Amino acid sequence: SLTAFLLCLVLCFAVNAEAKTITIKDPEDLKNINWSNKGFGPGNTYVIGNDMTLGDGEYATCRLTKGKFTIDFNGHTVQNANNALGVFSISGAEVTMKDSKVSSSKPSVRSYGAGAIDMTAGKLTISGGNYVGASNGTNNPVGLHVGGG
């Protein structure tokens, strides 16, 4: 029947969909990995290809709202210039962050306006790297801020 054929077609594409490893060198691309344009989207591993600054203000955040991602900082630093939010804002996605070339003298993520990672929902696994946030008013850097339900 047509229904069985369509179901088989959907399942075949779902099974054959392979996760990709994509090198990111442009801050705008990093901010858009949650979307499927340019081949981006959930399930992929994103390797940071160079140091980058996402900018400042409201749009200097990589928002991860859905799907499953792995981000490998690869010895590079992702930072914002000044922001009320973290460099990464996780609100529903399942994210693994790692640094395959971690350096004790160089952060993987640095925020100059808030925590390095702001999480309100989802799942975060960190398997290496240095995450440095701005002072929370008590001269204590905030690397990770978890809030919400």
Side-chain angles (χ1 to χ4, degrees):
S1 78
L2 181 60
T3 304
F5 172 75
L6 291 175
L7 180 60
C8 178
L9 189 61
V10 168
L11 291 175
C12 288
F13 278 112
V15 169
N16 290 328
E18 292 186 31
K20 302 178 207 170
T21 298
I22 300 172
T23 299
I24 300 285
K25 294 185 175 182
D26 182 343
E28 291 304 312
D29 286 344
L30 181 61
K31 290 190 283 187
N32 288 311
I33 64 174
N34 214 79
W35 312 110
S36 58
N37 63 332
K38 295 186 182 183
F40 298 162
N44 294 328
T45 295
Y46 296 95
V47 178
I48 304 302
N50 51 270
D51 293 346
M52 63 179 72
T53 300
L54 299 183
D56 61 7
E58 177 183 353
Y59 300 105
T61 297
C62 177
R63 290 179 173 85
L64 301 172
T65 59
K66 61 186 176 184
K68 184 175 181 178
F69 302 90
T70 297
I71 300 172
D72 180 354
F73 294 99
N74 193 35
H76 298 291
T77 299
V78 176
Q79 64 185 11
N80 60 16
N82 185 9
N83 191 1
L85 301 172
V87 176
F88 290 90
S89 177
I90 301 168
S91 59
E94 183 177 335
V95 182
T96 298
M97 291 186 176
K98 65 181 186 174
D99 197 333
S100 58
K101 296 180 182 175
V102 68
S103 166
S104 61
S105 62
K106 185 176 182 182
S108 307
V109 179
R110 179 191 307 257
S111 176
Y112 289 99
I117 302 166
D118 183 35
M119 181 171 172
T120 56
K123 179 180 178 184
L124 174 63
T125 302
I126 296 177
S127 62
N130 298 312
Y131 303 85
V132 179
S135 170
N136 63 2
T138 61
N139 295 321
N140 296 317
V142 178
L144 175 64
H145 172 257
V146 180

